[in-house]
DNA sequence: TAGTATCA
DNA sequence: GGTT
């Protein structure tokens, strides 16, 4: 049962069943073995994010003192990013309502206590494509607002297996993660992928970066 | 300000 | 919790 939180912002609770979550976790573990997570830094100031990141797909999102950008290689190893995880790719085909494949799968790794401040995903040239979010591990408090930072916000709980489509009029909505829920808190303990620290969370976001060339 | 800190 |  999907819920439209706002026009184009669609929450699919429990979209991935236990088997799919386990499969996706295995795929992510393999990606991280090849493309280890890095600590992103703020442009100009160099202040570190609390979240760690890696990527899969032809392009990966990176942030350092030089700025935000998409690039084809891992900043540490200089190797190309690993292939997109098939389970995430299948979710894109099912939920994105977009004719071209995703080019980037950003992997955000949250340890307990980490957060992600309110922000917009606006580094993609193709804003017609949605961003598709998939959650693994611990549940988290997701906050979203409007197109202006000062717009009022609402919060929902994102749990392991949830999918969230951020598209249409909500494509540039401000959003972030306020906190993780302790495991064992309420229902949905969520399975614990082996690549996460105890109580950690993993979020995958699939994005189309460049506009597809017309046939 | 995809940051943290601080205040109203 | 919203804002600087």
């Amino acid at each position: 049962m999907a819920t439209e939180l706002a026009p184009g912002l669609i929450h699919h609770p429990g979209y991935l069943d236990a088997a799919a979550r386990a499969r996706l976790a295995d795929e992510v573990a393999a990606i991280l073995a090849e493309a280890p997570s890095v600590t992103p830094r703020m442009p100009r100031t160099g202040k570190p994010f609390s979240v760690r990141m890696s990527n899969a797909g032809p392009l990966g999102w990176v942030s350092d003192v030089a700025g935000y950008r998409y690039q084809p290689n891992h900043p540490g190893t200089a190797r190309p990013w690993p292939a997109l995880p098939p389970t995430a790719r299948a979710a894109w085909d099912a939920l994105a309502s977009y004719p071209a494949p995703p080019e980037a799968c950003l992997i955000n790794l949250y340890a307990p206590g980490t957060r992600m401040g309110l922000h917009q995903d606006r580094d993609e040239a193709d804003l017609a494509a949605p961003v598709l979010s998939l959650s693994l591990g611990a549940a988290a408090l997701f906050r979203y607002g409007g197109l202006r930072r000062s717009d009022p916000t609402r919060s929902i709980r994102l749990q392991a297996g949830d999918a969230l489509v951020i598209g249409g009029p909500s494509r540039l909505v401000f959003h972030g993660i306020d906190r993780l829920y302790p495991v064992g808190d309420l229902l949905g303990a969520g399975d614990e992928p082996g690549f996460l620290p105890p109580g950690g969370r993993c979020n995958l976001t699939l994005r189309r970066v460049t506009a597809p060339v017309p046939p």
Side-chain angles (χ1 to χ4, degrees):
Chain A
M1 176 58 189
T3 303
E4 187 156 33
L5 304 168
L9 182 63
I10 302 164
H11 184 204
H12 300 263
Y15 176 74
L16 300 173
D17 63 20
R21 297 197 296 272
R23 199 179 338 115
L24 181 57
D26 285 348
E27 294 165 2
V28 172
I31 290 165
L32 293 173
E34 192 180 330
S37 66
V38 301
T39 298
R41 290 178 178 276
M42 289 296 290
R44 187 162 60 256
T45 65
K47 288 191 178 175
F49 290 33
S50 58
V51 168
R52 295 177 62 85
M53 294 181 175
S54 186
N55 288 273
L59 292 171
W61 189 85
V62 297
S63 178
D64 56 27
V65 286
Y68 305 149
R69 64 192 176 277
Y70 283 95
Q71 63 179 46
N73 302 95
H74 188 287
T77 68
R79 297 164 62 195
W81 301 106
L84 292 170
T87 301
R89 175 58 214 274
W92 174 274
D93 290 343
L95 299 178
S97 306
Y98 194 75
E103 296 172 295
C105 176
L106 174 59
I107 301 170
N108 288 333
L109 300 169
Y110 295 79
T114 62
R115 306 174 293 149
M116 177 76 80
L118 270 191
H119 68 279
Q120 294 173 301
D121 291 358
R122 57 178 309 157
D123 298 313
E124 302 75 29
D126 185 2
L127 296 175
V131 171
L132 172 62
S133 152
L134 299 171
S135 295
L136 293 175
L141 186 63
F142 174 83
R143 185 152 61 102
Y144 63 94
L147 301 182
R148 297 175 310 187
R149 180 177 288 278
S150 58
D151 286 339
T153 60
R154 293 175 58 87
S155 296
I156 62 165
R157 178 183 175 119
L158 286 182
Q159 292 192 279
D162 287 8
L164 186 69
V165 179
I166 306 171
S170 292
R171 176 59 180 77
L172 291 177
V173 125
F174 277 87
H175 60 281
I177 293 291
D178 280 346
R179 62 183 177 88
L180 303 192
Y181 288 94
V183 294
D185 185 283
L186 245 68
L187 78 312
D191 4 62
E192 186 112 317
F195 57 85
L196 287 176
R201 169 175 188 260
C202 174
N203 179 255
L204 310 185
T205 49
L206 295 163
R207 302 120 183 271
R208 180 75 200 185
V209 179
T210 67
V213 294

